Amino acid sequence: MKAKFSLYAKHIVLCLAFLFLPYAFTSTNTVFSLPHLYTNAHDRIYLFIYFTLLCFFYFNYYYLIPRLYFSEKKLLYYLVIAIFLLFFLWLSTVLDHPSRNFLDFRDHSENLLNHPKPFEGRFPPPPHRNEPMPFEFNGGPPTQYGHTTLVYLIGVISSLLFAISGRLQSVEKEKVKSELAFLKAQINPHFLFNTLNSIYALALKKDNKTADAVVQLSELMRYIMTNSNDEVIDLSKEINYISNFISLQKTRLGNTVNVDYNVTGNTFGKVITPLILISFIENAFKYGVNPDQTSEICIKIDIDDETLTLYVSNKKTFSIQSDSGIGLHNTIERLKLVYPNKHHLKIEDSAEKYIVNLSVKIR
């Protein structure tokens, strides 16, 4: 919603800035003076021409650039742009001076070259105040054709820049989405594989908790299938998912592990990227449990107004591996993609303990 509002605001500012140009350059050849829209037909024509140029800006942005410029038909695109420039120059001439056309100016120029008039007086007489000479600059503000050409080129160049910039951003977003999809495709089967191993262990022992574990797994998988592709999800759902995961692990491990799990803070109205926390917790159960002795795992989640803090610690066991696994590695990469400059991750890997401190700016 905010992104759409920001886009609309940008378009409104662009249109107002474009239509402000008649106020910057008026028929009186003065800068930043109010035009006489009610009394001066020339100023009204300026406003109309700039409005048509504004329409062409959007036509160029949404149609010509995608269909021609981005379709490797650049020569045709430049030809169309040149034709439209001639059209707008012709339109400004017809509207401002109906009795004149380009042939009149060509004949007039040829007469001046072939039959120059003798210089009379010390200075040539100035043009009439309300009839600026086309193509004449004289060191001052541009006149009628100069205005049209200048604004036209500004519109074409700016629309090209906006389109190219938007295309680059779109390509970058697609790249990020592809990378995230690849990472999720690796994380989800990894989690499923570990959990099925846990339930298999219960089944081998013919534990009565096997059925409950299957139900808990189905709830977890329903969450993954339903919400894992969303950009963000309610924080309360993600916390509930984590709680179910920990409950499943406690069911599997029984008295061999002491889990200190605590959640503080209010989740109402807060959202987070799904499955961004679970790998750190899963890693603790995968590598921090020793079947021959009681293991200890501490998981604390603290939520304040803008930040979620996750603390996970586990004692290392003899089976601890130097590589923490593909799930944890991919989660770290996802954090860099989804929360750039909005998260802080500190991992302490000592001889006895593995500790994760993660803080994330939540929306």
Side-chain angles (χ1 to χ4, degrees):
M1 188 67 180
K2 291 182 179 179
K4 289 184 177 180
F5 178 79
S6 177
L7 178 63
Y8 293 149
K10 289 179 181 178
H11 281 287
I12 292 174
V13 171
L14 173 65
C15 293
L16 292 177
F18 207 87
L19 295 178
F20 176 77
L21 290 175
Y23 292 84
F25 302 108
T26 68
S27 63
T28 59
N29 281 341
T30 57
V31 181
F32 297 110
S33 63
L34 292 176
H36 304 85
L37 296 177
Y38 294 100
T39 60
N40 193 317
H42 188 81
D43 289 343
R44 292 196 296 270
I45 291 171
Y46 265 59
L47 183 62
F48 175 75
I49 292 175
Y50 289 162
F51 178 76
T52 57
L53 288 172
L54 177 63
C55 295
F56 175 77
F57 169 86
Y58 284 102
F59 175 70
N60 183 44
Y61 181 81
Y62 286 107
Y63 186 82
L64 293 181
I65 293 177
R67 296 292 183 90
L68 300 180
Y69 189 86
F70 288 151
S71 300
E72 301 303 326
K73 299 178 182 178
K74 294 183 180 179
L75 184 60
L76 179 59
Y77 173 77
Y78 293 134
L79 178 61
V80 172
I81 291 298
I83 292 174
F84 269 100
L85 174 59
L86 295 177
F87 167 76
F88 281 113
L89 292 176
W90 170 82
L91 181 65
S92 63
T93 302
V94 170
L95 294 177
D96 204 13
H97 300 285
S99 61
R100 297 184 182 181
N101 54 46
F102 284 110
L103 296 178
D104 295 334
F105 291 116
R106 187 189 65 182
D107 296 340
H108 181 66
S109 300
E110 291 177 355
N111 289 333
L112 289 177
L113 293 174
N114 298 328
H115 306 286
K117 293 183 180 181
F119 180 75
E120 298 178 0
R122 189 172 182 181
F123 297 101
H128 192 273
R129 179 182 181 86
N130 291 325
E131 192 173 348
M133 295 295 291
F135 296 113
E136 183 181 34
F137 293 89
N138 292 329
T143 53
Q144 175 187 327
Y145 285 174
H147 288 165
T148 304
T149 304
L150 176 64
V151 176
Y152 180 83
L153 292 178
I154 291 175
V156 170
I157 294 173
S158 60
S159 58
L160 265 174
L161 292 177
F162 289 150
I164 293 173
S165 175
R167 191 177 181 89
L168 291 176
Q169 292 179 2
S170 177
V171 170
E172 185 65 25
K173 287 181 180 179
E174 289 300 321
K175 179 183 177 182
V176 171
K177 286 182 179 180
S178 298
E179 291 178 354
L180 289 177
F182 175 72
L183 295 175
K184 284 181 178 180
Q186 291 178 316
I187 290 174
N188 295 348
H190 178 68
F191 164 76
L192 178 61
F193 176 77
N194 290 339
T195 307
L196 286 176
N197 276 343
S198 300
I199 296 178
Y200 177 71
L202 288 176
L204 288 178
K205 295 186 296 183
K206 298 182 179 181
D207 196 309
N208 294 330
K209 297 178 181 179
T210 304
D212 293 336
V214 172
V215 173
Q216 290 172 336
L217 176 61
S218 66
E219 291 294 327
L220 295 178
M221 296 309 300
R222 182 181 293 110
Y223 176 85
I224 292 175
M225 297 297 294
T226 305
N227 303 299
S228 64
N229 291 326
D230 295 337
E231 291 185 6
V232 293
I233 193 171
D234 289 344
L235 181 58
S236 58
K237 293 183 179 180
E238 184 73 8
I239 296 297
N240 184 63
Y241 168 76
I242 292 173
S243 299
N244 286 336
F245 174 83
I246 294 174
S247 177
L248 177 60
Q249 296 299 326
K250 290 170 69 175
T251 299
R252 175 179 70 93
L253 298 171
N255 297 327
T256 63
V257 59
N258 291 328
V259 181
D260 180 13
Y261 174 57
N262 188 30
V263 178
T264 58
N266 185 13
T267 62
F268 180 77
K270 297 178 175 62
V271 296
I272 193 172
T273 298
L275 304 176
I276 203 71
L277 306 176
I278 190 63
S279 289
F280 299 106
I281 299 170
E282 181 187 7
N283 190 70
F285 283 100
K286 183 177 182 181
Y287 298 117
V289 176
N290 188 342
D292 296 330
Q293 62 184 26
T294 302
S295 304
E296 293 183 359
I297 296 176
C298 180
I299 302 169
K300 294 183 179 180
I301 300 175
D302 182 62
I303 306 160
D304 61 19
D305 292 338
E306 297 182 352
T307 306
L308 179 144
T309 303
L310 171 68
Y311 173 85
V312 181
S313 70
N314 61 271
K315 287 184 178 180
K316 284 187 174 181
T317 67
F318 66 90
S319 61
I320 191 75
Q321 301 177 12
S322 58
D323 183 10
S324 297
I326 192 172
L328 184 59
H329 172 75
N330 285 343
T331 298
I332 294 174
E333 292 300 315
R334 287 183 67 206
L335 281 169
K336 294 177 182 178
L337 291 171
V338 179
Y339 293 101
N341 303 319
K342 293 182 179 180
H343 79 280
H344 178 72
L345 175 63
K346 182 180 179 182
I347 297 178
E348 299 179 22
D349 190 1
S350 64
E352 297 181 353
K353 278 193 173 185
Y354 191 87
I355 301 175
V356 174
N357 274 289
L358 171 67
S359 61
V360 179
K361 292 287 185 180
I362 54 178
R363 290 172 277 177

